[in-house]
Amino acid sequence: MAAQRLNDLARLRRVRDRIDREYARPLDVEALARGAGLPAGHLSRRFRLAYGQSPYAYLMTRRVERATALLRHGGLGVTEVRSAVGCTSASTFGIRFTELVGMSPDTYRRLAADTRAGLPPCGQERAAEPVRNRAAALPQPQPFTDPEGFDRETVPPSDVLS
């Protein structure tokens, strides 16, 4: 049982590493699951348990992070950036970008350019660094309900440090 759990965690780590490396390629849960040798539903459930978000949400977060870097440097338009990070849908990209960053890609690009204007070159890079949207909901780990009977130790509320 413990060996199977470690094997599953190693597979999930390989999936996450693949997303980090290949975020700009067309990836979907089916392809990721095939690469890991797991059924798609099983991969999604296990990935969410391990990392607090679905494989698709993790992929979109990587793409938006890269998009913010490309938009800060100002050489590319939003459509070019969207294509460069592997998003085929403009609306999906805009929605996820706005959820994670707190503003549309156009607004982010414009503000980054305005912030850089008038600063010396050494200050332009620092001024264009993204600020995480604190209002955006962070992914929350799901309650652990392992259908294979693995029991997680629970900590009584009185023992939790605040």
Side-chain angles (χ1 to χ4, degrees), residues 30-43:
E30 293 291 332
L32 293 169
R34 273 193 308 275
L38 296 170
H42 186 75
L43 172 66

Side-chain angles (χ1 to χ4, degrees), residues 109-123:
R109 181 173 179 258
R110 212 174 19 256
L111 288 176
D114 290 347
T115 303
R116 285 191 314 265
L119 292 175
C122 61

Side-chain angles (χ1 to χ4, degrees), residues 3-158:
Q4 178 63 37
R5 181 160 168 74
L6 289 175
N7 189 25
D8 281 353
L9 290 173
R11 286 181 183 189
L12 294 174
R13 179 62 184 255
R14 284 193 294 271
V15 168
R16 192 181 75 172
D17 290 346
R18 181 177 176 196
I19 292 171
D20 288 341
R21 278 191 321 271
E22 301 177 14
Y23 67 89
R25 293 184 179 178
L27 288 176
D28 57 29
V29 175
E30 293 291 332
L32 293 169
R34 273 193 308 275
L38 296 170
H42 186 75
L43 172 66
S44 291
R45 284 189 300 277
R46 293 293 181 172
F47 197 93
R48 185 182 299 271
L49 286 171
Y51 299 113
Q53 58 185 328
S54 70
Y56 178 75
Y58 185 81
L59 171 64
M60 289 304 294
T61 300
R62 297 284 80 75
R63 287 176 171 168
V64 168
E65 285 176 354
R66 183 64 185 145
T68 58
L70 293 173
L71 289 170
R72 277 194 319 267
H73 294 292
L76 300 173
V78 173
T79 302
E80 294 166 304
V81 167
R82 178 179 54 80
S83 295
V85 298
C87 285
T88 56
S89 168
S91 63
T92 300
F93 176 71
I95 290 168
R96 288 297 296 165
F97 192 97
T98 303
E99 285 175 359
L100 293 172
V101 179
M103 63 185 78
S104 71
D106 281 327
T107 303
Y108 183 83
R109 181 173 179 258
R110 212 174 19 256
L111 288 176
D114 290 347
T115 303
R116 285 191 314 265
L119 292 175
C122 61
Q124 290 181 1
E125 190 68 29
R126 175 104 174 124
E129 290 178 358
V131 176
R132 180 171 178 82
N133 177 13
R134 301 283 180 207
L138 293 174
Q140 298 296 315
Q142 300 298 311
F144 190 78
T145 54
D146 192 339
E148 297 170 4
F150 180 80
D151 291 327
R152 175 184 278 183
E153 289 185 29
T154 57
V155 178
S158 61

